[in-house]
Amino acid sequence: MLARPATYLSSARPGTDVMAMSAAALAAAAVAIQDQSMEVASMYLNKAVGIYKLALQWPKGNYAKYVESGKRYPSVSMYDDLAYAAAWLYMATGQQSYLDNAVQFYSHTSAEKHVSANPYMFNYENVAPALDLLLYKATGDQTYKQNVKAFVKEWMNTHSASGDVYYTPRGLAKAEPDGLLQHTANAAFYTLLAAKDVLDQKKFMLYACWARGQIGYMVGDAGRSYMTGA
């Protein structure tokens, strides 16, 4: 059997990035499930708050330095992750301090040019696009809205102005010539969320059809499915 050694993080082996993302996931799950079970939502939220506090208290560091498997999926920044955690904690609690943290960490992320060489690549390494969605909903700041609009426009433009999004002859959008489907799937999901909460409601079906077309391509509409595994 394939070995799956256990590992851990501590104040001596910090992983600010992965701890922040864990807190964000738990806080988001609390928001998602609160209408079904406040008990479970509270449990998730308490865990999220505790992990976020440790991420702030412990020395700053990226988990890939201490976790071997992290070398395959390293972070280039921890600040988008911290902002993401704070934003979701604000969504879950309404506490202004979390929103203040999110805006502060986002500013640090922006100074790093969205942490990714390709700002339209929304994935584990770069959650700045998701921050634009969350922070626009939380603040109404037009800067975040414009970033959301720019992200969607770039992905839907078959002749990318930036050169960061590419289209295959049959219409699959990719974040780079050899880009992975995770980026396309994330962009499709993002576009649906943006269409619902941020973009022109009169054009909802336009955005929805684009997203549906991208997912459809992946699962076989172009003649073959690119989904593997079980």
Side-chain angles (χ1 to χ4, degrees):
M1 294 181 64
L2 180 66
R4 296 185 179 274
T7 189
Y8 67 94
L9 297 171
S10 68
S11 58
R13 293 163 49 92
T16 311
D17 47 357
V18 75
M19 292 174 70
M21 287 300 284
S22 298
L26 286 163
V31 172
I33 204 172
Q34 61 187 357
D35 289 341
Q36 285 72 47
S37 174
M38 281 302 299
E39 180 180 0
V40 174
S42 295
M43 178 179 66
Y44 289 167
L45 183 56
N46 288 336
K47 291 289 186 181
V49 169
I51 294 172
Y52 180 70
K53 286 181 177 179
L54 288 178
L56 295 181
Q57 291 171 3
W58 287 356
K60 298 295 184 290
N62 292 326
Y63 85 114
K65 182 177 180 180
Y66 303 103
V67 178
E68 184 63 30
S69 60
K71 293 179 174 59
R72 300 188 78 180
Y73 301 98
S75 294
V76 295
S77 172
M78 68 187 75
Y79 292 100
D80 61 323
D81 305 318
L82 285 166
Y84 198 49
W88 273 115
L89 284 165
Y90 172 74
M91 292 295 181
T93 66
Q95 292 184 23
Q96 183 65 35
S97 59
Y98 289 126
L99 181 56
D100 293 342
N101 283 173
V103 171
Q104 177 187 1
F105 288 131
Y106 180 94
S107 297
H108 202 304
T109 295
S110 297
E112 295 177 320
K113 301 185 184 302
H114 278 78
V115 309
S116 173
N118 183 346
Y120 303 103
M121 190 181 292
F122 168 36
N123 62 358
Y124 68 91
E125 189 179 357
N126 178 27
V127 295
L131 283 168
D132 288 319
L133 269 177
L134 291 171
L135 292 178
Y136 174 69
K137 289 179 66 175
T139 68
D141 188 315
Q142 292 298 303
T143 300
Y144 303 125
K145 182 176 184 178
Q146 292 306 313
N147 289 344
V148 172
K149 292 173 68 175
F151 183 93
V152 172
K153 180 179 180 180
E154 193 66 17
W155 271 94
M156 293 182 66
N157 186 357
T158 55
H159 300 286
S160 169
S162 69
D164 288 322
V165 175
Y166 303 79
Y167 271 78
T168 67
R170 290 194 177 186
L172 177 69
K174 299 192 294 181
E176 53 188 18
D178 298 319
L180 304 176
L181 291 182
Q182 62 160 305
H183 307 135
T184 308
N186 288 347
F189 179 57
Y190 186 98
T191 298
L192 289 173
L193 292 177
K196 177 176 177 289
D197 296 325
V198 179
L199 304 175
D200 187 349
Q201 292 291 298
K202 295 178 181 178
K203 297 181 180 180
F204 179 85
M205 289 307 300
L206 173 67
Y207 301 123
C209 286
W210 179 84
R212 167 63 179 82
Q214 294 301 308
I215 298 300
Y217 189 111
M218 296 180 206
V219 297
D221 287 357
R224 61 184 296 181
S225 172
Y226 291 88
M227 302 302 295
T228 61

